Amino acid sequence: MNILKSLAATLLATAAFTSAAVACEVTLKSSDTHPDGYPTVEAVKEMGKLLKERTDGRICVEVFHSAQLGEEKDTIEQTKFGVIDLNRVSMGPFNNLVEETKVVSLPYVFKGVDHMHRVMDGAIGEEILAAFEPHGYVGLAFYDGGSRSFYNKVKPITSIEDLAGMKVRVMQSDIFVDMMSALGANATPMPYGEVYSSIQTGVIDGAENNWPSFESSGHYEVAGYYTLDEHLIVPEVLVMSKVSWDKLSPEDQAAVRQAAKDSVPVMRDLWVAREKASEEKVRAAGVEVITEIDKAPFMAAMDSVYEKHVTSDKLKDLVARIRATD
Ligand code: GTR
């Protein structure tokens, strides 16, 4: 009997030990405004998978998609305080907090998506990632956000003149407000989650975004004209709260950083596929897509935005180096 009892006790202890060994010791809460299946959401899941494997199951990531943890500006604040551990957001809402993010949010600063990749994968990208740290965030990796273009419910935009007086939603950053003013439109900064109903009810005439966001948000259902002027190529960023980061050992911090970096190629493949699928869906829904557009006047109108926002030597140098990157 005693032997049986001690055998049972040993078995119980072993079971407890085994489950402790496979259970997550740390679960990093990650925020994303996009729905499940969106490339950024899937990329952070991939990062979590790699991290779990590489830490023998100790560190896990749980992705809260569809803005379950709030709109980007609010989640950025919560991340600073460690309420949210990881956050995948556009660099736009970071502009007023981390000065360096402004340079990659300037209209037409990149020659195209390949140029953006070359810049962000190199020394400039590393510098921008490092710039988050003094503000309470650890920059981990950049993801793709394609090119952003205008859409609206009123009429096809074929020139700057068509934008005159239009109410256009932008992300919450002064750069984008000034960009719209320079184009003669009225900027309405508002959280992403309010855009659909605001277009529907006429609070705004339209907004601007890439194919996957235009599609996944359903904005194409209420804004039937999409003009491919590609005024912005704003990379996305995955950041970690410095508060959460400081709780990890240097080895685990390195594992987090590496897993984030390793999720980037996965993200890029998913992005290319999603851009295509989203474009097909939006076109099939009957949205009028304006592709014949002279971008030169749009670019020329941006001088005032650069003059106002690229003022410090640091930013001037970054912009010059981005432009000099082949
Ligand atoms: C999307 C981006 C989001 C969010 C959104 C917006 O393209 O992926 O992070 O910034 O745009 O317009 O608010």
Side-chain angles (χ1 to χ4, degrees), residues 34-296:
H34 291 302
D36 204 19
Y38 196 92
T40 52
V41 172
E42 296 309 308
V44 179
K45 283 190 198 165
E46 173 67 18
M47 181 237 177
K49 190 174 135 251
L50 295 173
L51 187 60
K52 192 170 180 188
E53 277 164 19
R54 294 170 187 177
T55 58
D56 298 322
R58 283 183 304 106
I59 307 184
C60 306
V61 171
E62 189 176 355
V63 183
F64 292 82
H65 54 78
S66 312
Q68 290 171 72
L69 302 181
E71 296 287 351
E72 289 194 345
K73 211 159 162 273
D74 300 331
T75 62
I76 286 174
E77 268 171 41
Q78 293 183 53
T79 307
K80 188 178 176 102
F81 298 110
V83 179
I84 295 172
D85 305 297
L86 290 167
N87 204 352
R88 194 297 311 162
V89 289
S90 167
M91 300 265 247
F94 257 117
N95 288 173
N96 298 347
L97 287 175
V98 181
E99 194 196 18
E100 289 81 348
T101 64
K102 282 174 129 189
V103 295
V104 296
S105 308
L106 288 162
Y108 298 108
V109 76
F110 295 114
K111 293 166 205 157
V113 170
D114 290 345
H115 181 228
M116 183 273 283
H117 284 162
R118 289 194 295 278
V119 171
M120 303 315 279
D121 290 347
I124 297 175
E126 284 306 317
E127 257 172 76
I128 297 174
L129 279 183
F132 283 89
E133 202 142 337
H135 303 279
Y137 307 88
V138 177
L140 294 176
F142 299 116
Y143 289 153
D144 280 26
S147 311
R148 299 175 73 105
S149 291
F150 292 114
Y151 47 83
N152 79 94
K153 68 186 288 188
V154 185
K155 61 179 178 203
I157 294 167
T158 57
S159 67
I160 296 190
E161 287 69 39
D162 292 326
L163 273 165
M166 260 197 193
K167 285 175 283 171
V168 180
R169 178 269 177 177
V170 290
M171 285 189 278
Q172 290 149 297
S173 156
D174 298 342
I175 291 190
F176 307 136
V177 173
D178 293 328
M179 171 183 83
M180 295 319 301
S181 305
L183 293 170
N186 296 321
T188 309
M190 66 165 70
Y192 190 50
E194 290 172 21
V195 179
Y196 188 102
S197 62
S198 299
I199 297 178
Q200 201 173 32
T201 57
V203 170
I204 51 174
D205 299 314
E208 46 85 56
N209 224 314
N210 51 52
W211 282 110
S213 292
F214 184 37
E215 174 265 310
S216 65
S217 60
H219 295 174
Y220 71 97
E221 298 162 1
V222 286
Y225 305 100
Y226 192 33
T227 298
L228 300 182
D229 63 284
E230 303 182 318
H231 52 274
L232 289 173
I233 296 178
V234 187
E236 321 261 44
V237 66
L238 177 64
V239 296
M240 183 157 173
S241 167
K242 183 80 168 57
V243 175
S244 316
W245 177 260
D246 287 341
K247 290 182 190 156
L248 300 179
S249 68
E251 294 73 32
D252 287 345
Q253 289 174 346
V256 168
R257 222 182 252 292
Q258 195 56 46
K261 292 253 181 253
D262 292 344
S263 69
V264 173
V266 176
M267 196 283 165
R268 288 188 182 165
D269 287 348
L270 291 172
W271 183 260
V272 172
R274 182 64 181 247
E275 266 192 325
K276 199 165 168 281
S278 294
E279 176 173 352
E280 277 166 16
K281 190 169 168 187
V282 167
R283 284 185 187 273
V287 168
E288 187 177 331
V289 183
I290 297 93
T291 50
E292 292 303 312
I293 176 112
D294 180 11
K295 292 182 192 169

